[in-house]
Amino acid sequence: KIPAEGPYDTPWSEHAKRHVKRWQKQTSHEIRDVDTETYIAAFERCGKRRSLVQAFSGDIRHKAKAHGDRLRLRAAIDKTSGDVVAGFASLWIPEIKQTFHLTSFITPAGRDTPAAFGLVNDAFSIAQSRGDRFFEFDGFWAPGDPPNWKGFSRFKDQFGVYYVLWPRPLVRVHR
């Protein structure tokens, strides 16, 4: 839950708070809005499986067309080179006062920076400024899921999340 005013990071771990402070002190990178193709081009350099990147990229393109300026694509950019080193995509749902995390990434060049923490902090700040009550991260690892999602779930867990277990949807594949 995001408070209407004041600090939103109270439930965050000390580790997350420390890395946000590191981000705020650094001067080599900045966070700003980017267009869809810039976001996707950088996302393709993150080193994740090609099929995964293609699936999320397709979703980002679809949401950009369907939702327009409710889709927010933010990137941490190296001020010297202009390269995107990390990105964070979120969707604003004003009807329910919520921001929904869609996808994020970090490139090899961004792994030695606190950019991921800076982007999460940025997203919370924007959500609070809009009057959002909730920030939904979605996509946490649960028993039975592939083990490679555990790390990102641990990362997101640092930001004061409340877990809600939804049953898996029943999906029928027609051949």
Side-chain angles (χ1 to χ4, degrees):
K1 184 166 172 140
I2 302 171
E5 56 188 42
Y8 46 79
D9 65 351
T10 302
W12 293 10
S13 74
E14 291 305 313
H15 181 259
K17 290 176 186 179
R18 188 171 52 254
H19 280 280
V20 167
K21 285 180 183 161
R22 256 186 72 212
W23 173 261
Q24 291 168 336
K25 289 179 183 176
Q26 63 81 37
T27 58
S28 59
H29 296 81
E30 65 182 345
I31 295 175
R32 64 178 187 241
D33 289 317
V34 294
D35 62 65
T36 305
E37 294 311 313
T38 301
Y39 184 91
I40 290 171
F43 189 24
E44 290 172 345
R45 295 191 314 271
C46 75
K48 298 293 180 201
R49 279 190 334 237
R50 185 161 176 76
S51 60
L52 182 69
V53 171
Q54 287 177 333
F56 280 116
S57 295
D59 188 49
I60 292 295
R61 283 188 177 102
H62 170 75
K63 287 192 173 25
K65 288 179 187 172
H67 300 288
D69 62 357
R70 289 186 180 193
L71 174 67
R72 193 83 185 251
L73 302 173
R74 301 283 282 170
I77 298 170
D78 183 304
K79 289 180 181 179
T80 303
S81 68
D83 291 340
V84 172
V85 300
F88 194 99
S90 62
L91 185 63
W92 178 41
I93 310 168
E95 296 84 359
I96 58 173
K97 295 186 176 187
Q98 180 173 312
T99 292
F100 185 86
H101 167 261
L102 296 171
T103 188
S104 51
F105 67 87
I106 190 157
T107 67
R111 290 193 181 118
D112 292 331
T113 73
F117 292 91
L119 284 163
V120 172
N121 185 63
D122 177 69
F124 268 86
S125 177
I126 291 168
Q128 186 182 54
S129 73
R130 291 178 174 155
D132 285 357
R133 294 177 53 223
F134 299 101
F135 190 98
E136 184 171 334
F137 267 116
D138 192 37
F140 284 86
W141 180 88
D145 288 343
N148 57 340
W149 285 99
K150 283 184 178 181
F152 192 50
S153 292
R154 281 193 303 270
F155 174 77
K156 292 187 282 186
D157 189 51
Q158 299 177 88
F159 299 98
V161 299
Y162 295 93
Y163 292 96
V164 178
L165 182 61
W166 294 95
R168 291 187 185 270
L170 180 59
V171 178
R172 173 181 268 167
V173 178
H174 297 279
R175 295 178 193 245

